[in-house]
Amino acid sequence: MKVFVTGKLSQKAFDALQNFAQVDAYESDDPMPREQVEARLEGKDALVCILGDQVDAALFQKRPQLKLVANVAVGYDNINVADANEAGVLITNTPGVLDNATADLAFGLLLAAARRIVEADGFVRRGEWTGWKRELMLGAELNGKTLGIVGMGRIGKAVAKRARAFGLNIIYTRKCDDAKTDGELKKAFDAQRVSLQDLCKLSDFISINCPLRQETRHLIGKAEFALMQAHCVLVNTSRGAVIDEEAMIDALEQKKIASCGLDVFEREPLVPERLMALPNVVLAPHIGSATKETRAGMDELAVKGLLEAFSGKLPANAVNPDVWNKFAEKLKSKV
Ligand code: GLV
């Protein structure tokens, strides 16, 4: 069994993988050029990759012996799952292990934007602080306000848990229409499900926590910004393209919303100049899951799923379990 990894795995995950397979790994932590991924995949049965690696039909056609792709991320919008299904390639992701780290960062960005922490830091460093003033760096208090959570999945719930400790009231949207889950969310967080339009109108703070799919691309656009309150603080730790970035910058420039805390962008690592120029945004380089513990957990889960699949067990973190029979066939025929 031969595996290619587009980066460096944490030691425990790497050791587990190496006990089982012949491992070839990209030597750098930098994003790997696509042609190099294709070249290094020659003769490999599995690929362990990250969210910057694009995986699609062209890759599967070039490397027909590829049977599994383990994406070391919970989001898998970098992978064309329909193409993978067609090619009989099993896809796994890393759900669950990064919920707390991502929710922590969402809260860090929310507090930083609401309390102007980054602006305040620059102010002190530039030597502009002349003494305590009543109106210096006034921000927004969280207690008693309303947080709108767009996407109440695992990460959304971890955000809600933190929000309760800060005295926030919670409203949310979620994809699935099921009264039982809504009842559980009411009980756990006193949270109320609303329409996206109402969420935009009623929220003092908004946190985006839904995955990027065709139906969530530009979910928050010009029409949604028009509904938001002028003091609204918007935080995104999901995927940049869930928000129409141009519309967001317009809304910030025209003061239709107060500020943003952003960990993700539409064309990463590109951050528009207009956004960089705004003092009321806090910017982070997609580090939602970037704690040592979580990154190790993600690598370990990716390797666990891979080892299970190649040992004949459908892993719980398979994104396209329907492809299992095709995968098993491929495994048997030793293509
Ligand atoms: C990070 O963005 C992830 O999807 O895990």
Side-chain angles (χ1 to χ4, degrees):
M1 223 290 265
K2 292 183 181 166
V3 181
F4 180 62
V5 187
T6 65
K8 195 167 174 279
L9 289 171
S10 55
Q11 199 58 48
K12 193 169 160 201
F14 184 77
D15 291 347
L17 189 59
Q18 226 181 8
N19 279 338
F20 184 86
Q22 207 175 310
V23 186
D24 177 21
Y26 188 51
E27 300 70 17
S28 160
D29 199 27
D30 287 332
M32 192 176 176
R34 161 79 181 230
E35 324 76 68
Q36 288 187 35
V37 177
E38 283 179 8
R40 297 274 287 265
L41 263 182
E42 188 174 3
K44 305 296 192 309
D45 302 284
L47 167 68
V48 180
C49 64
I50 56 171
L51 56 89
D53 299 315
Q54 296 302 318
V55 175
D56 52 27
L59 187 76
F60 299 136
Q61 275 152 21
K62 223 166 251 161
R63 299 294 172 226
Q65 82 294 344
L66 187 66
K67 300 167 187 67
L68 181 143
V69 176
N71 203 40
V72 186
V74 67
Y76 49 88
D77 46 286
N78 57 312
I79 297 177
N80 188 320
V81 179
D83 289 353
N85 291 344
E86 184 69 32
V89 174
L90 192 69
I91 308 295
T92 63
N93 68 340
T94 59
V97 290
L98 45 70
D99 302 345
N100 286 320
T102 308
D104 284 349
L105 190 82
F107 251 86
L109 290 171
L110 176 54
L111 286 167
R115 296 301 304 273
R116 305 171 60 181
I117 295 173
V118 176
E119 236 183 299
D121 177 273
F123 179 82
V124 174
R125 286 174 200 272
R126 287 190 302 274
E128 291 173 23
W129 187 26
T130 54
W132 195 91
K133 293 189 201 174
R134 277 193 175 72
E135 297 201 347
L136 181 62
M137 292 280 160
L138 293 184
E141 183 135 344
L142 272 60
N143 186 50
K145 303 273 179 65
T146 297
L147 170 68
I149 301 177
V150 177
M152 196 55 134
R154 281 176 299 258
I155 299 172
K157 282 186 217 158
V159 169
K161 187 173 160 193
R162 286 152 179 77
R164 293 304 287 161
F166 279 90
L168 285 158
N169 303 311
I170 299 164
I171 55 178
Y172 65 93
T173 62
R174 51 192 296 275
K175 184 182 77 171
C176 305
D177 194 2
D178 97 77
K180 184 168 167 277
T181 308
D182 288 339
E184 286 164 8
L185 292 167
K186 173 89 187 145
K187 203 162 152 203
F189 308 114
D190 198 20
Q192 183 69 38
R193 183 172 177 178
V194 295
S195 66
L196 181 63
Q197 284 70 25
D198 281 349
L199 183 139
C200 292
K201 279 188 218 161
L202 299 170
S203 298
D204 301 299
F205 309 104
I206 296 177
S207 175
I208 307 293
N209 297 109
C210 62
L212 176 62
R213 307 245 191 277
Q214 220 173 331
E215 63 276 15
T216 59
R217 184 171 292 275
H218 287 194
L219 184 70
I220 307 294
K222 194 170 179 218
E224 287 68 31
F225 284 112
L227 297 173
M228 291 178 197
Q229 310 190 61
H231 64 260
C232 185
V233 176
L234 173 67
V235 170
N236 190 5
T237 51
S238 121
R239 287 290 182 271
V242 173
I243 298 178
D244 176 345
E245 209 163 64
E246 285 287 310
M248 177 182 69
I249 298 170
D250 289 345
L252 283 161
E253 285 179 348
Q254 293 159 17
K255 305 213 176 348
K256 288 197 173 128
I257 58 170
S259 55
C260 284
L262 304 169
D263 186 40
V264 287
F265 304 87
E266 267 204 83
R267 286 167 283 274
E268 294 177 11
L270 193 107
V271 180
E273 289 287 328
R274 278 172 70 207
L275 194 54
M276 297 253 217
L278 291 167
N280 52 338
V281 293
V282 179
L283 308 171
H286 203 147
I287 53 169
S289 64
T291 67
K292 287 179 189 145
E293 297 84 348
T294 288
R295 287 287 162 82
M298 291 164 74
D299 284 349
E300 285 159 29
L301 180 55
V303 168
K304 180 171 178 277
L306 187 153
L307 298 188
E308 282 175 358
F310 280 90
S311 312
K313 178 173 179 269
L314 174 64
N317 58 332
V319 162
N320 57 347
D322 290 350
V323 98
W324 178 251
N325 287 341
K326 269 191 186 174
F327 168 84
E329 279 301 309
K330 268 189 156 192
L331 205 57
K332 249 192 270 157
S333 65
K334 303 217 166 12
V335 179

